């Protein structure tokens, strides 16, 4: 039997904004643990998100650069799951009405042009970082959470299985 | 001199005229707490030392001849689901038993610019889920008018404190009636502003599309003043309204001539409590006497409002309460692994009603049921909103009872959650529509328990409902009648 590889990719890309997607904390990498945090990205009781305009602009730019349709009406949704690196136990993401859809990227393979279609591009927040005393959460006596990364803005780029 | 029974505006004048000091006033309210708090239990925590310091600071400013704000030096209570920096905020739950927020809710930041005296955090139903304050994980609050009765909920502590004289003013929150209902049961004034009028930043979320913070006070004058302080756009709350905040004290005029009052027939049902009906109808009669016009209207989807609320609110609560997992703040009950840790913590530390609503919410949102329950509820919510939009083309305000009954006895309804949910029948439609509503005292039951009149307004029209409320209030004497409690009264 002959098998043909059919590949689609979901790529998460950090947006290079100064501050996080829903609060004013810095996004710079490598800071001392739990120093780029505030009540909002820590998900403390009572906090609310405020959208970073630059995040939306960058996401739109990514959509335009890849020939996407930019949706005039787009919303954030909660992706609910429990994990200790996710302070609210939901990730604010986009579900059915993403910011950009139906784009493509043309690539060159040995002189031939190939089109890789993009299903969608949407915005979401990153989660924190777990550091385990063992190799993973199950075999560790303790795990530590660094919340510096929670709320760092991401775009998720989803391609069709065109590769 | 007895000061705890006076409203803030009277006390403010006395402070300005230097007839009393804030320390005197604060000590009087504190001794009132010592006198009756064991019977009322309105507070979950008290901040007396800090309160006296705040009072001293207020007196220093007054002595220097500085102009003082309305609330300056006047003691109040804050519902325990509003984050107060450095002061425990438990939401009356065991899961936040020792939680001290490192930040202030926006309303607290706004309040603190006025230099009030904060006496403590008021009791409530756990996470604002309830209509009687019996769902507090700590203890129930007792109605000052009859301590065998509930104060209503979920802002029962706030309402009871104002009614008992253990706070001159208070802040509460309202998601399905939680300011108006206890105001009605305790014979005080309670206002739920238009959704978005007051910032929710720092209000521990129950149902994000329904929650609002509002004042509970002795009279409408105080209510307007407190609303002035807390209302307004907040950049930390994207759902807060950019609409300009009028000076609500300008609504404190006695004039209802030509005011068109809608009476929704769905709120005056056959089985309704006869004492409530009598008091409310008499109040409507008074409005007519004073020149208002009463028009019968229909809000046809009223019957569906409770079901709609009890799908939307639990659905939103189910996700809002996911964060309480024992990992980074709040109480923790350990386990063999992180899943056990989270499960053990939530199982041990959430009360029954909270668990009930989380389960209802998750059920309504789950695959296979989402369309039939949650999505359907969202559609009915639009219909409820449309009922009001249509009605407000014909009338200026809508009036109805606040609660279907006067205060019931502690323990009477708690065994039947569905019965308890029906307490919200007159109040939830407003939250679904995002409209403002005020409850003011309008009479007593045959057992001398307070009955509240609810005045509902157009979006962002707190001014009209305050004017209507003020006019009626001034024609009656309820604001000067206090619960008979403790030795002196």
């Amino acid at each position: 039997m002959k098998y043909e590889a059919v590949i689609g990719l979901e790529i998460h890309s950090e947006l290079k904004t100064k501050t996080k997607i829903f609060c004013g904390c810095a996004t710079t990498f490598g800071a001392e643990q739990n120093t780029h945090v505030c009540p909002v990205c820590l998900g403390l009781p009572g906090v609310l998100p405020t959208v970073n305009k630059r995040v939306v602009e960058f996401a739109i730019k990514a959509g335009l650069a890849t020939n996407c349709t930019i949706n005039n009406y787009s919303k954030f949704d909660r992706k609910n799951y429990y994990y200790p690196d996710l302070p609210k136990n939901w990730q604010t993401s986009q579900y059915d009405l993403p910011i950009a859809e139906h784009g493509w990227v043309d690539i060159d393979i040995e002189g031939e042009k190939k089109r890789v279609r993009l299903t969608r591009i949407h915005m979401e927040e990153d989660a924190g970082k777990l550091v385990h005393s063992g190799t993973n959460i199950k075999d560790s006596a303790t795990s530590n959470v660094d919340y510096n990364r929670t709320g760092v803005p991401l775009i998720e780029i989803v391609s069709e299985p065109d590769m | 001199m007895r000061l705890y029974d006076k409203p803030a505006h009277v006390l403010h004048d006395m402070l300005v005229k230097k007839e009393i000091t804030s320390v005197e006033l604060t000590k009087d309210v504190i001794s009132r707490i010592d006198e009756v708090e064991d019977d009322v239990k309105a507070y979950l925590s008290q901040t007396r030392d800090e309160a006296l310091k705040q009072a001293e600071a207020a007196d220093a400013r007054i002595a220097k001849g500085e102009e003082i704000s309305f609330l300056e030096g006047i003691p109040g209570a804050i519902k325990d689901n509003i984050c107060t920096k450095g002061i425990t905020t438990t939401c009356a739950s065991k899961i936040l038993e020792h939680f001290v927020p490192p930040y202030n809710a926006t309303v607290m930041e706004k309040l603190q610019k006025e230099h009030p005296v904060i006496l403590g955090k008021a009791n409530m139903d756990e996470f604002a889920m309830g209509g009687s304050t019996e769902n507090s994980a700590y203890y129930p609050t007792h109605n000052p008018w009859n301590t065998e009765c509930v104060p209503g909920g979920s802002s029962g502590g706030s309402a009871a404190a104002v009614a008992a004289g253990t706070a001159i003013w208070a802040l509460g929150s309202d998601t399905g009636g939680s300011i108006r209902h206890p105001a009605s049961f305790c014979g005080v004034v309670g206002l739920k502003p238009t959704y978005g009028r007051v910032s929710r930043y720092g209000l521990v979320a129950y149902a994000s599309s329904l929650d609002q913070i509002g004042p509970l006070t002795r009279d409408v004058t105080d209510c307007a003043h407190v609303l002035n302080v807390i209302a307004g756009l907040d950049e930390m709350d994207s759902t807060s309204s950019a609409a300009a905040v009028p000076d609500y004290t300008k609504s404190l005029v006695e004039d209802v001539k030509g005011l068109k009052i809608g009476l929704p027939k769905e709120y005056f049902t056959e089985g309704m409590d006869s004492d409530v009906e009598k008091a409310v109808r008499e109040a409507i009669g008074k409005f007519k006497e004073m020149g208002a016009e009463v028009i019968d209207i229909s809000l046809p989807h009223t019957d569906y409002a409770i079901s709609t609320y009890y799908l939307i609110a639990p659905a939103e609560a189910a996700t809002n309460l996911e964060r309480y997992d024992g990992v980074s703040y709040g109480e923790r009950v350990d386990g063999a692994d992180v899943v056990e840790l989270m499960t053990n913590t939530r199982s041990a530390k959430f009360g029954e009603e909270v668990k009930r609503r989380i389960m209802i919410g998750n059920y309504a949102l789950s695959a296979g049921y989402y369309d039939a329950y949650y999505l359907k509820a969202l559609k009915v919510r639009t219909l409820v909103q449309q009922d009001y939009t249509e009605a407000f083309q014909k009338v200026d305000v809508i009036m109805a009872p606040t609660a279907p009954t006067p205060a019931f006895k502690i323990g009477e309804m708690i065994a039947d959650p569905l019965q308890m949910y029906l307490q919200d029948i007159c109040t939830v439609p407003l939250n679904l529509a995002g409209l403002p509503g005020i409850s003011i005292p309008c009479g007593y039951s045959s057992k001398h328990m307070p009955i509240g009149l609810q005045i509902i307004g157009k979006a962002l029209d707190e001014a009209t409902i305050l004017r209507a409320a003020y006019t009626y209030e001034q024609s009656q004497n309820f604001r000067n009648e206090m619960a008979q409690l403790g030795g002196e009264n």
Side-chain angles (χ1 to χ4, degrees), chain B residues 11-336:
Chain B
L11 294 166
H12 173 75
D13 287 342
M14 293 171 89
L15 284 167
V16 168
K17 292 194 193 125
K18 301 200 168 92
E19 289 167 17
I20 57 167
T21 65
S22 170
V23 168
E24 262 181 87
L25 168 59
T26 303
K27 283 188 172 161
D28 193 58
V29 180
I30 288 176
S31 69
R32 179 66 174 166
I33 293 176
D34 287 337
E35 190 188 355
V36 302
E37 178 63 3
D38 277 348
D39 295 325
V40 176
K41 303 185 90 60
Y43 285 91
L44 283 173
S45 64
Q46 293 178 37
T47 48
R48 292 186 181 198
D49 292 340
E50 194 53 43
L52 284 165
K53 285 204 196 100
Q54 290 162 351
E56 281 163 15
D59 285 335
R61 274 186 293 271
I62 296 170
K64 272 197 250 150
E66 282 177 36
E67 200 184 314
I68 58 165
S69 74
F70 178 80
L71 282 177
E72 189 114 18
I74 299 184
I78 308 292
K79 187 176 183 180
D80 210 17
N81 60 354
I82 296 172
C83 283
T84 43
K85 183 173 178 177
I87 303 171
T88 52
T89 300
T90 69
C91 303
S93 177
K94 285 295 162 90
I95 214 163
L96 288 176
E97 188 168 357
H98 302 104
F99 177 67
V100 179
Y103 79 102
N104 258 333
T106 297
V107 293
M108 294 311 299
E109 292 288 326
K110 286 177 150 221
L111 267 179
Q112 277 173 3
K113 293 201 175 90
E114 314 288 307
H115 311 122
V117 168
I118 305 296
L119 288 168
K121 305 305 288 297
N123 198 12
M124 49 184 282
D125 283 294
E126 187 178 356
F127 283 109
M129 301 181 189
S132 67
T133 312
E134 291 170 286
N135 289 328
S136 166
Y138 298 97
Y139 37 79
T141 296
H142 300 247
N143 192 315
W145 293 84
N146 177 348
T147 53
E148 285 176 36
C149 290
V150 302
S154 63
S155 310
S158 303
V162 173
T166 54
I168 306 298
W169 57 273
L171 286 189
S173 75
D174 190 312
T175 303
S178 292
I179 287 174
R180 295 162 283 151
H181 183 268
S184 175
F185 274 20
C186 290
V188 299
V189 174
L191 175 94
K192 181 200 90 70
T194 306
Y195 183 80
R197 179 76 290 184
V198 176
S199 169
R200 290 183 302 114
Y201 186 77
L203 170 66
V204 179
Y206 158 23
S208 315
S209 74
L210 300 164
D211 295 341
Q212 268 292 279
I213 294 174
L216 287 115
T217 54
R218 294 285 161 72
D219 61 20
V220 178
T221 301
D222 285 359
C223 184
H225 279 278
V226 177
L227 186 61
N228 270 359
V229 175
I230 61 176
L233 177 70
D234 181 18
E235 62 175 21
M236 299 299 280
D237 176 359
S238 302
T239 64
S240 67
S241 169
V245 180
D247 178 359
Y248 292 113
T249 63
K250 295 218 160 66
S251 302
L252 302 170
V253 290
E254 290 176 67
D255 178 16
V256 293
K257 274 190 284 299
L259 183 77
K260 295 202 182 75
I261 300 172
L263 282 195
K265 64 173 199 229
E266 291 81 5
Y267 282 68
F268 292 86
T269 56
E270 221 176 81
M272 84 186 281
D273 183 288
S274 53
D275 287 341
V276 169
E277 183 170 8
K278 182 162 175 286
V280 171
R281 286 205 188 276
E282 266 176 30
I284 310 284
K286 186 69 193 169
F287 274 101
K288 265 203 215 152
E289 230 183 89
M290 297 191 291
E293 189 190 334
V294 174
I295 299 168
D296 287 322
I297 59 168
S298 174
L299 300 170
H301 296 91
T302 300
D303 273 350
Y304 302 109
I306 280 275
S307 311
T308 304
Y309 173 82
Y310 277 105
L311 284 169
I312 293 175
E316 295 184 6
T319 118
N320 282 330
L321 269 63
E322 284 166 1
R323 69 190 72 201
Y324 305 107
D325 58 8
V327 169
S328 60
Y329 53 78
E331 299 307 288
R332 174 192 285 194
V333 178
D334 221 331

Side-chain angles (χ1 to χ4, degrees), chain B residues 35 152 163 212 218 258 277 303 322 359 363 410-411 414 430 455 462 488:
Chain B
E35 190 188 355
Q212 268 292 279
R218 294 285 161 72
E277 183 170 8
D303 273 350
E322 284 166 1
M359 288 193 282
Y363 185 84
I410 292 175
I414 199 76
L430 228 63
I455 305 175
E462 283 80 0
E488 269 185 66

